[in-house]
Amino acid sequence: AKKKVTVSLLDYGAGNVRSVRNAITSCGYEIVDITHPSQIDDASVIIFPGVGSYHSAMDVLKREGYDDALRGYLAADRPYLGICLGMQTLFESSEETNEAGHVGDPLPGLGVIPGRVVKFDETKRSVPHIGWNGVVRLQDSPAMRYVSGASGESSGGGGEVYFVHSYYAPITSENEKWVLTRTTYEGQEYVSSVQRGNVCATQFHPEKSGAAGLNFIRGFLESVEDGTLSNTKPIPNNPDEHTQLVKRVVVALDVRSNDSGDLVVTKGDQYDVREKDEDAKTGRGGVRNLGKPVQLASRYYEEGADEIAFLNITSFRQGVIEDMPMLQVLEEASKCIFVPLTVGGGIRSYTDPESGKVYSALEVASRYFRAGADKVSIGSDAVYAAEEYYKNGKKQGGSSSIEAISQVYGVQAMVISIDPKRVYVNSPDDVDNKLHAVVELDESQKGPNGEKFCWYQCTVKGGRESRDICAVAVARAAEALGAGEIMLNCIDMDGQCKGFDHALMTAVSGAVTIPVIASSGAGRAGHFADVFRETSVQAALAAGMFHRKEVEISEVKRDMESNGIRARI
Ligand code: 1PR
């Protein structure tokens, strides 16, 4: 067989490019790392997955002497694929360089494509733009040979790809010829990929875009090999055609060791994960075992999950950091799963019981990112951080784990997980604490004594301890501290199969601008369409009904589509 081209990867060490490596490898290609500018000229094809901020990316490229070598390589029209920031740096400049947090004059980009990268207007939409969105093609490219949707058609219904970004490149008359695809985010049209000759780049993340993304990488690399990459043709496009962000279907895997020490996916009823029948010897039920974490997650990836969350639900126990069992789960999962992976449980400052060494929450999170996580989720610590935030008169202290992690990895990588319980009251006047948001309940949701109202009390340590703060207050504080998304559980609904808690979802998503993932209570396909229709959550999550194979992911998505809610099919 013909020897495949070797990919030269430009990883300048600013962040996690493990999933890009895994995606290239899974397409059957080998990688060499570029560690010196002299290697650029020798490369057959360069992939540049930019990570971090625009200024820091350009700063490293310049400092290490890559910028001139790259400009030369690009000017010679050699095969190139930039991803995300790797696309933005091809433009002349970015508004991001004007933001606080860097010293000196703003650095220009590589300047290959005319135009300036700017920030989405957050008064009109939530920023960052996170999730699956479509693309409208403006050119026919051999790189797109395996991507579904015939030439010229938008990818509606099949070819959605995954985006995470706050800045975008506008389409102008100067750069129009470069545009390979365009995408619309709530009324804002922007460049979602470019190609001219052999230089190609995407704003979306092909390595996180499931089969569509892998097909793009494969098509790109095969056309490099057969020398056809530059055979692009413009496609007449309909200016009235727009794309939209679809609602995400997320699967959560609650992971813990069972009584024999094996790591299993489990699932509770109102957070109780033990079987109801007691063991004669121990006097308690065994931990429910629904399967092996990576095996189950791979099945969900194949079946069309838009995102997968692994939660270490016994994280309140302290163990040796090197033994953190979820690290291995992430490493294995990221080799075969090409949609975003979130990990939660135990992301906080940590004292190793053996060495006495203290690790910061940021250090713990970094290990997970390096193992293949795209986002980390914080539960208990987010509640403590919110309590501090209000105690300090709503000021950022700078020391919370949310702040530390989002400053380094970006807000899109910082999820908070809230585990509230309902506290029923007869009237809003029965609640003294002005921070507690009281909601009115539907007739069907009334409390055990006919109470018409409730507030949602936050818990820590997986529901084991209640705190005097409500879910809305924690969500607001977390957003102010730098969280980019909220996973919103409800202990009363967990495992009950009666649908999501709409009152809670409405109260929280109305209080913040970051995306909310509805969680707890799904029991049939229709519950997803219900929560998307009646509340403004951007994603919904289920665990038990998928684990028990009562409902398939495809059934949920078909039901959403038949109710007029766009899903990634
Ligand atoms: O506090 O930062 O160490 O994080 C602990 C994490 O573990 C939190 O995200 C917390 O939600 C989670 N957790 C802790 N204990 C449990 C438990 O169940 N005993 N589970 C737990 C969280 C909630 C969802 C569940 C949905 C959907 N489980 O993951 O999957 O409720 O379930 P359903 O569709 O079957 O109703 P920290």
Side-chain angles (χ1 to χ4, degrees):
K2 196 170 135 255
K3 181 135 178 30
K4 287 194 163 182
V5 69
T6 298
V7 174
S8 295
L9 189 75
L10 182 55
D11 168 8
Y12 55 95
N16 170 30
V17 301
R18 188 184 190 103
S19 44
V20 176
R21 288 177 191 278
N22 287 337
I24 298 169
T25 312
S26 97
C27 291
Y29 291 87
E30 296 205 347
I31 299 171
V32 301
D33 279 291
I34 298 180
T35 53
H36 191 268
S38 64
Q39 284 166 277
I40 290 192
D41 201 39
D42 298 334
S44 313
V45 51
I46 293 179
I47 297 191
F48 177 39
V51 267
S53 77
Y54 198 93
H55 186 89
S56 63
M58 286 313 305
D59 188 40
V60 181
L61 292 184
K62 204 171 150 71
R63 209 166 356 116
E64 313 268 321
Y66 287 120
D67 61 337
D68 285 338
L70 274 179
R71 283 193 186 96
Y73 181 93
L74 294 162
D77 190 30
R78 311 261 306 273
Y80 186 85
L81 174 62
I83 298 173
C84 194
L85 200 56
M87 180 190 95
Q88 296 188 353
T89 47
L90 290 176
F91 286 80
E92 290 165 313
S93 64
S94 168
E95 223 173 71
E96 195 181 355
T97 55
N98 295 348
E99 294 218 322
H102 76 80
V103 258
D105 291 331
L107 289 169
L110 294 167
V112 176
I113 308 176
R116 177 169 171 80
V117 174
V118 296
K119 190 165 190 182
F120 281 117
D121 181 349
E122 14 190 7
T123 60
K124 303 210 170 100
R125 55 190 72 75
S126 39
V127 178
H129 172 218
I130 304 184
W132 298 81
N133 201 325
V135 296
V136 177
R137 297 190 195 183
L138 274 70
Q139 301 183 53
D140 193 10
S141 162
M144 303 279 245
R145 59 176 79 170
Y146 300 120
V147 181
S148 69
S151 320
E153 278 174 26
S154 82
S155 66
E160 282 87 6
V161 285
Y162 190 76
F163 291 90
V164 194
H165 58 130
S166 300
Y167 293 82
Y168 68 95
I171 304 171
T172 65
S173 52
E174 283 83 42
N175 64 30
E176 192 171 54
K177 282 211 172 61
W178 272 92
V179 182
L180 178 59
T181 62
R182 61 174 170 80
T183 292
T184 327
Y185 177 39
E186 305 214 345
Q188 181 62 60
E189 209 68 53
Y190 69 91
V191 180
S192 51
S193 64
V194 293
Q195 189 182 352
R196 207 161 175 190
N198 290 305
V199 177
C200 194
T202 61
Q203 177 62 66
F204 57 86
H205 287 268
E207 78 283 9
K208 285 289 151 194
S209 297
L214 294 182
N215 283 339
F216 178 82
I217 294 176
R218 192 156 66 93
F220 168 80
L221 289 171
E222 285 185 18
S223 39
V224 169
E225 278 173 337
D226 61 24
T228 57
L229 180 61
S230 61
N231 300 344
T232 54
K233 282 199 302 283
I235 294 175
N237 93 95
N238 171 3
D240 294 331
E241 189 181 352
H242 300 295
T243 68
Q244 84 183 68
L245 189 64
V246 305
K247 299 284 186 182
R248 283 172 281 157
V249 174
V250 181
V251 185
L253 289 87
D254 292 357
V255 179
R256 61 162 288 168
S257 303
N258 64 12
D259 299 317
S260 24
D262 302 320
L263 212 56
V264 297
V265 175
T266 188
K267 183 64 213 81
D269 276 323
Q270 302 184 327
Y271 284 32
D272 178 3
V273 300
R274 289 190 177 272
E275 301 287 3
K276 298 283 171 270
D277 338 321
E278 287 171 15
D279 182 285
K281 259 199 264 153
T282 58
R284 55 181 190 172
V287 172
R288 274 190 208 114
N289 178 354
L290 292 152
K292 293 197 173 103
V294 178
Q295 217 172 31
L296 206 52
S298 314
R299 189 186 106 205
Y300 294 137
Y301 166 64
E302 301 292 334
E303 291 176 358
D306 297 324
E307 208 164 303
I308 290 168
F310 293 103
L311 300 168
N312 171 7
I313 67 164
T314 44
S315 58
F316 56 91
R317 295 186 189 153
Q318 201 85 322
V320 184
I321 198 160
E322 302 306 334
D323 290 346
M324 288 198 303
M326 299 296 267
L327 285 174
Q328 210 194 339
V329 168
L330 263 304
E331 272 169 29
E332 294 293 314
S334 64
K335 282 188 196 142
C336 52
I337 299 176
F338 297 98
V339 294
L341 298 174
T342 302
V343 63
I347 316 271
R348 59 180 139 84
S349 148
Y350 188 94
T351 309
D352 193 296
E354 276 180 11
S355 62
K357 185 170 171 350
V358 181
Y359 296 87
S360 68
L362 176 61
E363 284 172 298
V364 175
S366 298
R367 290 192 178 226
Y368 282 115
F369 287 123
R370 282 202 299 274
D374 299 289
K375 316 184 198 183
V376 296
S377 135
I378 295 190
S380 306
D381 237 22
V383 177
Y384 304 134
E387 290 171 346
E388 278 299 301
Y389 172 79
Y390 291 108
K391 212 168 81 191
N392 296 335
K394 299 195 191 176
K395 275 200 218 57
Q396 306 185 358
S399 61
S400 71
S401 44
I402 301 177
E403 289 159 277
I405 296 168
S406 66
Q407 268 155 27
V408 174
Y409 290 94
V411 295
Q412 83 290 336
M414 184 64 262
V415 182
I416 66 150
S417 163
I418 309 184
D419 303 309
K421 264 184 195 158
R422 287 181 176 183
V423 178
Y424 292 102
V425 288
N426 285 315
S427 139
D429 301 333
D430 296 349
V431 179
D432 292 336
N433 190 329
K434 290 286 162 269
L435 270 183
H436 296 344
V438 179
V439 306
E440 189 170 355
L441 296 163
D442 271 2
E443 204 52 32
S444 64
Q445 299 287 318
K446 279 200 216 157
N449 304 310
E451 295 93 337
K452 288 200 192 103
F453 297 88
C454 82
W455 64 279
Y456 289 90
Q457 180 168 30
C458 284
T459 65
V460 292
K461 301 179 185 156
R464 285 168 184 79
E465 186 188 320
S466 299
R467 309 287 301 185
D468 189 29
I469 188 164
C470 84
V472 171
V474 168
R476 281 206 174 103
E479 176 174 43
L481 294 172
E485 200 168 27
I486 295 171
M487 187 186 288
L488 187 52
N489 306 295
C490 177
I491 296 183
D492 306 77
M493 298 301 201
D494 174 61
Q496 304 307 297
C497 302
K498 292 185 190 144
F500 296 98
D501 190 327
H502 292 189
L504 172 64
M505 301 306 146
T506 302
V508 173
S509 55
V512 294
T513 62
I514 54 178
V516 171
I517 306 172
S519 167
S520 303
R524 50 186 162 79
H527 287 149
F528 279 75
D530 291 346
V531 76
F532 289 134
R533 200 180 322 105
E534 288 177 29
T535 79
S536 55
V537 296
Q538 290 204 3
L541 169 160
M545 74 173 201
F546 292 136
H547 301 339
R548 296 185 300 265
K549 296 196 173 162
E550 291 159 1
V551 182
E552 285 201 2
I553 296 169
S554 57
E555 202 181 323
V556 170
K557 293 194 172 181
R558 277 198 307 274
D559 183 77
M560 284 164 60
E561 288 273 327
S562 69
N563 280 284
I565 297 153
R566 284 294 313 279
R568 180 180 73 104
I569 303 282

